[in-house]
């Protein structure tokens, strides 16, 4: 039988997109306390099916994960520091495309369709025609519109927004936001690979050690989460915990209490780091109430990370921009790698930033370790202990030396040179992940 929390989530899930939600209303409809209703609404917000819009309230929306490269009109308002003149009830809708209104009206309207956002100045007739075509309107330059247009926007739930920024700046800001969404799309989360609850083997506090042996025989696994009757994770039981224990010993007495857990929105990279650092083969995945959602295994995490690294990139992070400039030194050079210092890699006074130096040391150290050991690695310690200023558009030469490498870890010393003069030195230590 499902809990009240789960019943409320199901109720919210079946509400129509755009419907308003309140704690008091949910509590009344579902006959629960306002505290229980509030926690369920927050969980729905974490799942991306609910969003809170300023001066509008909490709204049921389409799940964002399916629309990473798109923004809602409410998000556009925040991006451009805008004010909503009309059509507030449509702020939850998704922006499919934006159109710059920098042409004659007849030509412009050929490109305007439902779901679009027309970015334009103080052209009142264009505002009205865009709304009639089913599009939202963003007015630049701090201008407003007439009362008839605002009334139409309210009647048809089509947002009409004003901002003090000019058209070029607004387009750049929205493009940047969409680009950031695309970068986020590449990040793999625990929820993408977790073994769901229905396929998860677990123990309860009522079980004896005998049950661990049964599960071990059935699954060949040696580590199982322990839950109470509310499915909250209380501990973990591994093979080492039941050594020399009688089969009649309660699981609750041998389990490791307060185990390490992750939630569905934890990035896979973070989960991998925890599993390698702590030497854990399996992690329970929990919700906001510490209830078991499923498990992830170290093998599945590493396999997913390897697949993700082979996927084509749709957006470059700062690390991508830096490491993309690192190339192998030409043949005959005493250096291993070279990198040209671009404007994005400098600090406000035109010198190489400390963050870029750290990334270069990490990249060189990682590449050298991968020459010796194929596979993934997790950097666990980085020290920069010699720095000199390097100015823009210089080429940095880098040389690394592996100080120590074993089956599970590696240590690399990296030196950075400018015209044969030492300008930086760092030490990187990493955990090597077994396939």
């Amino acid at each position: 039988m499902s809990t009240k929390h789960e019943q409320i989530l199901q109720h919210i899930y079946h509400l129509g997109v755009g419907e308003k939600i309140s704690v008091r209303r949910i509590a009344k409809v579902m006959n629960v306390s306002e505290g229980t209703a509030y926690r369920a609404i927050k969980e729905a917000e974490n799942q991306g099916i609910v969003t809170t819009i300023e001066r509008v309230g909490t709204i049921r929306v389409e799940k964002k994960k399916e629309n990473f490269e798109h923004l809602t009109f409410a998000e556009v308002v925040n991006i451009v520091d805008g004010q909503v003149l009309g059509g507030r009830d449509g702020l939850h809708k998704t922006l499919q495309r934006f159109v710059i209104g920098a042409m004659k009206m007849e030509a412009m309207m050929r490109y305007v369709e439902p779901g679009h956002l027309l970015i334009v100045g103080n052209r009142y007739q264009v505002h009205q025609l865009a709304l009639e075509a089913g599009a939202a309107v963003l007015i630049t330059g701090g201008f407003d519109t007439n009362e008839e247009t605002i009334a139409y926007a309210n009647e048809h739930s089509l947002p009409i927004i004003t901002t003090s920024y000019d058209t070029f700046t607004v387009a750049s800001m929205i493009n940047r936001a969409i680009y950031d969404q695309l970068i986020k799309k590449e990040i793999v989360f625990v929820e993408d690979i977790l073994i769901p609850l229905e396929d998860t083997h677990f123990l309860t506090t009522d079980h004896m050690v005998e049950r661990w042996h049964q599960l071990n025989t059935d699954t060949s696994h040696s580590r199982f989460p322990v839950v109470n009757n509310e499915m909250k994770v209380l501990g973990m039981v591994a093979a080492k915990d039941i050594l020399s224990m009688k089969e009649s010993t309660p699981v609750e007495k041998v389990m490791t209490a307060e185990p390490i857990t992750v939630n569905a929105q934890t990035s896979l990279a973070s989960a991998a780091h925890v599993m390698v650092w702590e030497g854990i083969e399996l992690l329970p995945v929990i919700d906001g109430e510490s209830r078991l959602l499923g498990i992830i295994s170290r093998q599945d995490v590493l396999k997913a990370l390897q697949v993700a690294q082979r996927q084509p990139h749709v957006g470059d992070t700062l690390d991508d921009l830096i490491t993309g400039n690192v190339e192998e030194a030409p043949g005959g050079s005493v250096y291993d790698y070279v990198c040209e210092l671009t404007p994005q890699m400098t600090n406000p006074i035109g010198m190489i930033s400390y963050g870029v130096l750290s990334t270069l040391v990490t990249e060189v150290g990682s590449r050298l370790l991968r020459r010796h050991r194929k596979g993934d690695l997790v950097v666990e310690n980085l020290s920069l202990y010699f720095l000199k200023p390097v100015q823009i558009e210089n080429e940095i030469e880098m040389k690394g030396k592996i100080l120590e490498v074993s089956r599970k870890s590696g240590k690399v010393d990296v030196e950075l040179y400018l015209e044969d003069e030492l300008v930086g030195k760092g030490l990187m230590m990493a955990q090597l992940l077994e396939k």
Side-chain angles (χ1 to χ4, degrees):
M1 184 175 176
S2 60
T3 64
K4 286 286 187 184
H5 184 84
E6 291 166 340
Q7 290 171 16
I8 297 170
L9 284 175
Q10 283 297 314
H11 173 75
I12 294 172
Y13 185 81
H14 287 101
L15 291 176
V17 173
E19 194 165 335
K20 290 186 179 180
I21 298 168
S22 72
V23 171
R24 186 171 297 176
R25 181 181 170 192
I26 291 290
K28 185 177 180 181
V29 170
M30 300 300 295
N31 193 25
V32 296
S33 69
E34 291 191 2
T36 301
Y38 175 79
R39 286 192 294 273
I41 291 172
K42 279 298 179 187
E43 176 68 19
E45 195 168 356
N46 291 336
Q47 292 180 13
I49 61 173
V50 161
T51 189
T52 301
I53 301 171
E54 189 178 355
R55 296 190 295 276
V56 173
T58 304
I59 305 290
R60 171 73 168 92
V61 295
E62 295 178 14
K63 192 169 183 180
K64 288 186 180 181
K65 188 171 179 60
E66 299 168 2
N67 248 330
F68 260 114
E69 66 271 29
H70 295 151
L71 304 169
T72 64
F73 292 117
E75 289 169 323
V76 171
V77 175
N78 291 330
I79 291 165
V80 302
D81 297 327
Q83 290 184 319
V84 182
L85 300 178
R88 286 186 181 278
D89 290 342
L91 287 175
H92 68 279
K93 295 177 181 177
T94 301
L95 162 65
Q96 302 295 331
R97 178 184 177 189
F98 65 86
V99 179
I100 305 294
M103 57 190 86
K104 289 183 178 180
M105 186 172 64
E106 295 78 12
M108 185 192 314
M109 296 313 298
R110 290 202 297 265
Y111 298 96
V112 178
E113 297 178 5
H116 288 184
L117 175 68
L118 177 64
I119 302 173
V120 68
N122 58 338
R123 300 169 68 179
Y124 289 180
Q125 189 177 0
V126 171
H127 301 167
Q128 182 68 32
L129 289 173
L131 293 174
E132 290 174 1
V137 178
L138 175 55
I139 307 170
T140 59
F143 296 108
D144 58 8
T145 190
N146 56 43
E147 292 299 325
E148 293 80 5
T149 302
I150 292 173
Y152 188 93
N154 288 330
E155 183 183 350
H156 294 85
S157 299
L158 292 169
I160 185 161
I161 306 159
T162 182
T163 177
S164 58
Y165 294 112
D166 61 75
T167 301
F168 176 79
T169 303
V170 164
S172 299
M173 293 166 82
I174 295 174
N175 256 328
R176 177 72 253 181
I178 293 173
Y179 192 74
D180 287 346
Q181 293 282 54
L182 290 172
I183 291 174
K184 289 179 185 177
K185 188 177 181 181
E186 296 176 30
I187 300 172
V188 184
F189 294 96
V190 163
E191 68 177 348
D192 296 318
I193 68 153
L194 73 84
I195 298 169
L197 185 60
E198 56 267 26
D199 297 324
T200 297
H201 297 279
F202 55 87
L203 297 164
T204 72
T205 49
D206 298 327
H207 283 138
M208 306 298 168
V209 167
E210 177 187 15
R211 179 58 178 161
W212 182 93
H213 287 289
Q214 291 173 355
L215 290 179
N216 178 243
T217 302
D218 294 342
T219 67
S220 299
H221 296 161
S222 62
R223 187 177 172 89
F224 303 98
V226 181
V227 300
N228 62 13
N229 56 7
E230 296 178 348
M231 292 304 293
K232 291 187 176 182
V233 176
L234 301 182
M236 292 289 293
V237 176
K240 62 181 178 62
D241 299 319
I242 54 91
L243 289 174
S244 305
M245 291 292 176
K246 294 181 180 179
E247 292 198 343
S248 58
T249 305
V251 161
E252 198 168 7
K253 287 191 175 181
V254 300
M255 72 181 186
T256 301
E258 298 181 1
I260 297 172
T261 59
V262 292
N263 61 52
Q265 290 301 311
T266 301
S267 73
L268 221 53
S270 296
H273 191 278
V274 169
M275 297 178 91
V276 171
W277 185 259
E278 300 289 344
I280 296 173
E281 297 294 330
L282 179 145
L283 277 177
V285 182
I286 60 173
D287 65 11
E289 301 291 326
S290 297
R291 289 187 304 240
L292 186 65
L293 296 177
I295 56 172
I296 55 171
S297 71
R298 178 164 155 169
Q299 184 178 4
D300 289 341
V301 167
L302 298 183
K303 188 183 298 180
L305 283 175
Q306 289 163 4
V307 170
Q309 288 171 359
R310 292 195 290 268
Q311 297 302 313
H313 285 252
V314 289
D316 288 332
T317 64
L318 290 175
D319 267 15
D320 294 328
L321 293 172
I322 297 165
T323 57
N325 279 344
V326 177
E327 300 176 352
E328 290 194 13
S333 172
V334 297
Y335 301 106
D336 297 303
Y337 299 96
V338 295
C339 178
E340 183 179 343
L341 183 59
T342 63
Q344 297 98 324
M345 297 161 65
T346 59
N347 60 21
I349 59 173
M351 300 296 180
I352 189 169
S353 76
Y354 298 132
V356 170
L357 271 173
S358 300
T359 302
L360 290 177
V361 170
T362 302
E363 180 68 9
V364 171
S366 300
R367 290 194 189 187
L368 290 175
L369 285 174
R370 288 193 182 101
R371 285 184 186 177
H372 286 72
R373 284 283 308 279
K374 299 293 183 185
D376 296 309
L377 56 86
V378 175
V379 177
E380 63 179 26
N381 191 286
L382 182 67
S383 301
L384 296 177
Y385 52 92
F386 181 79
L387 298 172
K388 276 190 174 183
V390 180
Q391 69 182 46
I392 193 170
E393 293 180 350
N394 276 307
E395 186 173 76
I396 297 174
E397 296 147 326
M398 296 165 286
K399 187 167 184 61
K401 180 181 179 183
I402 294 180
L403 303 178
E404 183 182 359
V405 64
S406 66
R407 190 168 62 89
K408 292 187 175 181
S409 65
K411 187 185 296 182
V412 185
D413 183 81
V414 178
E415 295 178 340
L416 290 76
Y417 292 86
L418 176 62
E419 297 178 352
D420 296 329
E421 180 186 356
L422 185 66
V423 293
K425 197 170 173 66
L427 179 67
M428 187 195 86
M429 299 172 64
Q431 289 269 4
L432 305 178
L433 309 185
E434 296 179 4
K435 290 187 177 181

